[in-house]
Amino acid sequence: MEKPYQMLLFDGAAHKILHVHGLNGTFIAETPYPPDIEPLDAVLLNKSIVYILAINETTGENIIFQYLATEKNLSPQKKLHPLPIPDISPLQIAGDEQASQLMIACKDGSLYIWYNHALRLFGRPQQNAVCVGIQIAGDSIYTIWEQEQGGIIALFNRQGQLLSEKFIPGIPTQLQLTNEALLLVSYTSTQWTGEGLALLETTNSTLNLVKVIPFNCPLQPIKTYPATITMSPTENTAYVIHEDGGFISKINLTTKKLDATWLIGHSISSLHFLPDNRFAIGPSQKFADLTLIDMTLGEPVSITNSPERTLLGLLLILPTPVPK
């Protein structure tokens, strides 16, 4: 029996946030946002608060909105609340469930903490670098940084102290941390390096490189852009989504080897497991649609066909029922 679930989708043509019942496709709420705003990223905190990073296409400024996905706030007229964070330009956001706070990375490389309606500086890099990914676990904050000659993986404590860092020759695209303290960092190529996945262990607050798994396009030797990483529910498998290549690399985290390459034949930007763990949904920023993938067979099942919708490459699976 299929398990119920809810989704948040973003319709770029109608400029609406779509809150949808996953099994039957009916709408719970449609929340409009300004037409000059384009959502870039979204994170869920406390099972019901969604923070949305967006860009104002008129001014070029980045903004963060708060959307309350609780049952008492599901009116179609429910409006978004922009966070009062002047004088900074957000580039990345990450949710911190333990402290119920938001970490914000800015275009100038600085990191901020948003908590209880207040913004405080967490730190700034000593060299020209921009944070392109954040993962928070316990008292540790894992970050990846893009710089001119490659990337840096840096580990901080909650006080902002740098505990460990590692240089990687490629440009990092995303990071994921398993419950076994195994850190996965995907990276795309520079003129000197190819694309791959770096696996690191964290021991006594030190990052140790375990292995690098190179990626190659199964069709021809081109850049495939490993955009995002999705962990299986059991965390024994990682799926790296190659947005430009239209395929998925399946990584066995027990053997730390590439298990399989799934040719999806369609660009997807990320991958989201459904509650039954057999199927996953892949939104496409390039084609503005959704692909349903059978995670047992590694094959696409269906692709949405909604000409009236322009679905952005953002999707959140919400807990069911949504908290009141």
Side-chain angles (χ1 to χ4, degrees), residues 22-282:
L23 292 184
N24 57 28
T26 58
F27 290 96
I28 299 170
E30 297 184 60
T31 303
Y33 56 83
D36 55 353
I37 295 297
E38 180 184 355
L40 301 175
D41 195 8
V43 298
L44 178 68
L45 267 185
N46 299 327
K47 299 182 179 181
S48 62
I49 303 174
V50 179
Y51 290 96
I52 302 162
L53 173 65
I55 185 171
N56 186 316
E57 295 184 317
T58 301
T59 65
E61 296 178 341
N62 284 10
I63 310 165
I64 297 177
F65 291 94
Q66 184 186 72
Y67 174 86
L68 301 178
T70 57
E71 289 184 353
K72 65 181 180 181
N73 287 308
L74 291 183
S75 164
Q77 288 75 39
K78 183 65 185 175
K79 295 185 178 180
L80 298 176
H81 301 284
L83 299 189
I85 47 173
D87 303 323
I88 71 169
S89 184
L91 182 66
Q92 293 278 331
I93 56 176
D96 183 354
E97 288 284 357
Q98 177 176 309
S100 298
Q101 62 189 19
L102 194 69
M103 178 160 275
I104 304 169
C106 297
K107 292 182 179 179
D108 64 356
S110 55
L111 295 176
Y112 289 87
I113 298 291
W114 171 262
Y115 175 71
N116 198 23
H117 302 283
L119 189 72
R120 69 174 176 86
L121 180 66
F122 181 79
R124 287 190 174 97
Q126 296 180 349
Q127 53 187 309
N128 186 21
V130 177
C131 181
V132 293
I134 306 168
Q135 185 93 27
I136 304 171
D139 294 326
S140 301
I141 299 174
Y142 300 84
T143 59
I144 50 175
W145 300 76
E146 180 181 336
Q147 58 179 12
E148 185 176 355
Q149 302 300 328
I152 295 174
I153 307 167
L155 171 62
F156 299 89
N157 60 21
R158 286 187 175 272
Q159 290 69 47
Q161 178 185 5
L162 177 63
L163 303 177
S164 182
E165 63 180 348
K166 287 286 183 182
F167 173 80
I168 57 174
I171 300 172
T173 56
Q174 204 194 34
L175 77 167
Q176 285 286 352
L177 181 71
T178 73
N179 290 331
E180 302 298 323
L182 183 66
L183 185 67
L184 285 66
V185 178
S186 56
Y187 61 89
T188 189
S189 58
T190 65
Q191 64 184 85
W192 299 283
T193 64
E195 297 177 309
L197 181 72
L199 280 64
L200 302 97
E201 291 179 343
T202 56
T203 306
N204 298 325
S205 300
T206 301
L207 295 171
N208 300 301
L209 183 63
V210 176
K211 190 173 184 179
V212 173
I213 300 174
F215 292 133
N216 292 301
C217 179
L219 300 178
Q220 53 184 317
I222 60 173
K223 290 177 65 173
T224 63
Y225 193 65
T228 53
I229 308 169
T230 296
M231 306 297 299
S232 67
T234 57
E235 293 199 345
N236 59 2
T237 305
Y239 301 91
V240 181
I241 293 81
H242 299 262
E243 188 171 25
D244 291 349
F247 69 96
I248 297 173
S249 293
K250 181 182 178 183
I251 309 296
N252 186 320
L253 295 181
T254 302
T255 63
K256 299 178 176 59
K257 293 181 179 179
L258 176 65
D259 255 8
T261 299
W262 293 350
L263 285 171
I264 304 302
H266 189 79
S267 174
I268 62 173
S269 305
S270 58
L271 193 65
H272 306 264
F273 272 91
L274 301 183
D276 62 9
N277 295 336
R278 176 178 177 179
F279 295 97
I281 294 178

